[in-house]
Amino acid sequence: MANSGTTSALTCLSTSDIITKVVEYGIEVTELEARKFRDNDVDEEAISYGLTETMVAYLFEGSFKKQAKFLQFARQLKEPEPSTTLTFEILPNDCLSPTCQEYGSFPAVFTLPTFPKDIQTKLDTKQPCHKVSTDRHKIVRILHETMAQYTMYPTNSEYIKVAKALIFRYPFLKDMEGNRYNTWHMSLKRRFKAERTPLVHHEVVRNMKQKFGHHRSPQAPENNQGSITTSVRRSSDIISVSGEDESSIGAHTQVLKRQYLKTQPDSCIVTNAMTKTFQWRRKEVAEGVRADTIANKYPFLKTPAGLCEEMNRIHNIENLQHRFREEFLLILPKVLALARGKSPLEKIYLQAREESLSEDLPAMDFKAGLVLLPIIFKEKVEHHVTLEEPGTPYPTTQLTHTNWKSAFTRRGPSVVKTDGFELCRASDLEEGVIAAFCAYFVFNMAYPPNRKNTLTFVQRCILKISEEGDKPLSTTVIRILNQLY
């Protein structure tokens, strides 16, 4: 171990003092490396802020040994802070990381390391560091450096041990959902994976990658042309059919078709017929009848109001559009903040906003939030809302505007398209987005992977819809939840 008196002797050390201490620590510093220290002002203050692995790699280019030793030296320069420990059951030897014999066994009692001064101050004052990406990355980096002293291949239980220790000491860093530490667990795993990538030539890393690495088989691309009626959500949604037969269902559907042709349909007649045919309709959907066939047979499913009413029958949600608006308005400012600088569409929205009257801004902001929401989940806007013909069979809202500036500044109708046909026309963007969302449930469609996070967030967090057998929220959704609420 290094001299225990190192920290106390290093108050306001200059760059030259740091170089001297590094040499005393046993790291040979060449003239080129010393010049890099001076050119980049690597003094005691800079080290206390926390140098990244990239910075250290630049200082000691080409020598892993020097880089690792300097990181250890830098940790010992920082002022000691009261540490918090969390005791767990000692794992048997066969549960330890495969590389423990090289690095030393992972401790049964994990001690949180010393964090940089700026981070430690925020932690001590209970500031939400997990909502600030730079602060979160620093915490993960320090935890990674500490774990890496024992192994470059931590086991799942070791990741969990460290994540639990962190939120035990700082409960305000917990996730909003799930087991409360999943995002820290996943961040550490990704950090180790990223740090191991440049070391593939290292014998230990190469052997472990061959032994434990994932070997993915090629996946077929999404079929943008075919039908998706075979992709169902869950069979438990389907209710047994009783009290109706083909003859009575035929009579009800004829009533619905006649009412649909009227300028002002009788809402009581429509509601009665749709309710009586509901169980039969759900049976047809479960059996894989195409969405366009279902919509033509029950034509009020070709209206936004009809889709929302069907959602109410499925999940007992009244005033769905009102609930959506109320809940979305609560998070709208943070949605716009998280999307800032992440898309050309956001720049178009900001430019249009500057040219608009103050009374028009609330409506503009709401539309921008709906359009930009997928971006914060790292999904493409055009998979949800588009100006062009949708290139996918999944429910998509197509705007009738000629450009995005017009879409943000002017109210205009939208069209919901799914499975290759026009499902319904909506009065505006909001109504179209809600209708497209409802279509997944009405026609029993599974969320496609490239839009699953956004749709799951709308379902579980905005509309508060839960289904039996729902999987836990993904790490991506939980991380965004932590920042929005």
Side-chain angles (χ1 to χ4, degrees):
M1 295 295 293
N3 296 334
S4 59
T6 303
T7 302
S8 60
L10 294 176
T11 304
C12 300
L13 293 177
S14 65
T15 301
S16 297
D17 294 332
I18 289 293
I19 294 174
T20 301
K21 291 293 181 181
V22 169
V23 174
E24 292 175 355
Y25 192 75
I27 303 175
E28 181 181 353
V29 180
T30 66
E31 182 56 38
L32 176 60
E33 291 166 347
R35 188 182 307 120
K36 290 181 179 180
F37 271 74
R38 289 189 288 268
D39 291 345
N40 293 277
D41 296 326
V42 182
D43 54 13
E44 186 264 348
E45 182 181 8
I47 293 176
S48 70
Y49 291 146
L51 300 181
T52 66
E53 285 88 346
T54 303
M55 296 175 184
V56 175
Y58 171 75
L59 294 175
F60 296 102
E61 187 175 357
S63 175
F64 289 157
K65 183 176 181 180
K66 286 186 178 182
Q67 293 171 26
K69 201 167 184 178
F70 181 81
L71 286 171
Q72 187 179 44
F73 167 79
R75 281 193 294 272
Q76 296 181 26
L77 290 182
K78 301 168 187 175
E79 294 180 359
E81 300 283 349
S83 62
T84 299
T85 62
L86 190 62
T87 304
F88 295 87
E89 180 182 356
I90 298 177
L91 298 174
N93 290 335
D94 57 358
C95 293
L96 294 175
S97 170
T99 57
C100 279
Q101 296 303 317
E102 180 174 339
Y103 292 89
S105 298
F106 203 88
V109 179
F110 183 78
T111 302
L112 288 180
T114 300
F115 293 103
K117 289 181 180 179
D118 58 332
I119 296 297
Q120 193 63 57
T121 299
K122 293 180 179 180
L123 291 173
D124 292 340
T125 55
K126 298 184 178 181
Q127 297 183 34
C129 302
H130 57 309
K131 297 184 179 182
V132 182
S133 60
T134 53
D135 293 344
R136 185 184 183 90
H137 291 162
K138 286 183 181 179
I139 293 173
V140 171
R141 174 175 58 80
I142 297 300
L143 293 176
H144 162 264
E145 290 174 1
T146 305
M147 296 174 70
Q149 295 180 56
Y150 304 101
T151 175
M152 284 296 289
Y153 279 88
T155 64
N156 191 61
S157 61
E158 289 164 355
Y159 283 123
I160 293 174
K161 180 185 296 186
V162 175
K164 281 186 173 180
L166 179 67
I167 65 171
F168 180 83
R169 175 64 180 87
Y170 305 107
F172 54 92
L173 298 180
K174 290 181 179 179
D175 294 334
M176 294 288 293
E177 295 284 340
N179 58 23
R180 306 297 182 178
Y181 59 80
N182 185 61
T183 60
W184 294 107
H185 180 182
M186 292 299 104
S187 293
L188 285 169
K189 289 187 72 172
R190 282 193 294 270
R191 179 78 186 199
F192 269 92
K193 182 178 180 180
E195 292 298 325
R196 289 192 298 259
T197 299
L199 304 178
V200 291
H201 62 281
H202 190 281
E203 183 177 358
V204 173
V205 175
R206 184 173 62 251
N207 292 341
M208 297 307 298
K209 186 175 180 66
Q210 292 175 353
K211 185 175 182 180
F212 296 100
H214 295 287
H215 304 283
R216 296 182 179 180
S217 57
Q219 296 181 351
E222 177 184 320
N223 182 1
N224 290 341
Q225 305 298 327
S227 171
I228 54 172
T229 51
T230 57
S231 179
V232 297
R233 298 183 54 79
R234 191 170 291 109
S235 59
S236 61
D237 288 338
I238 311 307
I239 309 171
S240 60
V241 180
S242 61
E244 299 289 345
D245 56 23
E246 289 188 11
S247 177
S248 62
I249 292 296
H252 292 315
T253 56
Q254 289 303 313
V255 170
L256 289 171
K257 290 176 181 179
R258 286 196 296 269
Q259 288 293 323
Y260 184 72
L261 296 175
K262 293 182 178 181
T263 305
Q264 294 183 332
D266 188 315
S267 60
C268 292
I269 294 177
V270 172
T271 300
N272 181 59
M274 290 294 287
T275 301
K276 288 183 175 180
T277 56
F278 174 67
Q279 293 184 3
W280 189 279
R281 185 162 57 252
R282 298 305 291 163
K283 173 179 175 292
E284 291 178 316
V285 170
E287 291 173 348
V289 178
R290 286 178 56 92
D292 54 350
T293 302
I294 296 290
N296 289 326
K297 184 174 181 178
Y298 307 95
F300 283 92
L301 294 181
K302 295 193 291 185
T303 67
L307 291 168
C308 289
E309 289 170 4
E310 189 79 342
M311 274 290 287
N312 182 32
R313 297 184 188 96
I314 298 171
H315 283 295
N316 194 27
I317 304 176
E318 296 183 358
N319 301 320
L320 185 145
Q321 188 165 350
H322 178 72
R323 179 190 292 192
F324 178 90
R325 170 169 277 272
E326 279 193 337
E327 293 293 330
F328 194 69
L329 281 173
L330 294 176
I331 61 172
L332 177 59
K334 291 185 178 180
V335 170
L336 295 175
L338 289 176
R340 189 167 298 138
K342 295 181 179 178
S343 169
L345 286 181
E346 194 253 352
K347 294 182 179 179
I348 297 174
Y349 150 67
L350 291 178
Q351 292 172 356
R353 197 177 192 277
E354 291 179 356
E355 301 171 3
S356 301
L357 299 175
S358 58
E359 57 264 30
D360 297 329
L361 298 184
M364 280 190 62
D365 293 342
F366 194 87
K367 285 190 284 188
L370 291 177
V371 171
L372 300 175
L373 181 63
I375 292 174
I376 69 177
F377 294 100
K378 299 182 179 179
E379 295 177 348
K380 294 182 179 181
V381 170
E382 58 265 28
H383 289 160
H384 300 266
V385 182
T386 180
L387 298 179
E388 309 293 336
E389 184 70 23
T392 170
Y394 293 98
T396 307
T397 305
Q398 181 181 357
L399 303 180
T400 56
H401 300 83
T402 57
N403 56 71
W404 280 108
K405 182 177 181 180
S406 174
F408 287 128
T409 56
R410 299 178 185 177
R411 178 184 173 91
S414 60
V415 180
V416 177
K417 295 187 176 181
T418 183
D419 213 2
F421 78 102
E422 181 180 307
L423 175 60
C424 68
R425 286 187 169 266
S427 60
D428 56 16
L429 170 63
E430 179 185 355
E431 191 175 61
V433 168
I434 294 174
F437 173 79
C438 290
Y440 282 95
F441 290 83
V442 172
F443 300 109
N444 212 28
M445 300 177 185
Y447 297 149
N450 59 12
R451 60 186 80 183
K452 186 173 184 178
N453 286 330
T454 301
L455 294 171
T456 300
F457 175 78
V458 171
Q459 174 194 331
R460 302 273 291 278
C461 305
I462 295 182
L463 294 176
K464 308 296 190 296
I465 299 174
S466 295
E467 296 183 302
E468 182 182 354
D470 272 341
K471 294 181 179 180
L473 294 176
S474 69
T475 302
T476 301
V477 174
I478 294 176
R479 185 176 291 118
I480 297 300
L481 263 181
N482 293 339
Q483 299 181 69
L484 292 177
Y485 294 94

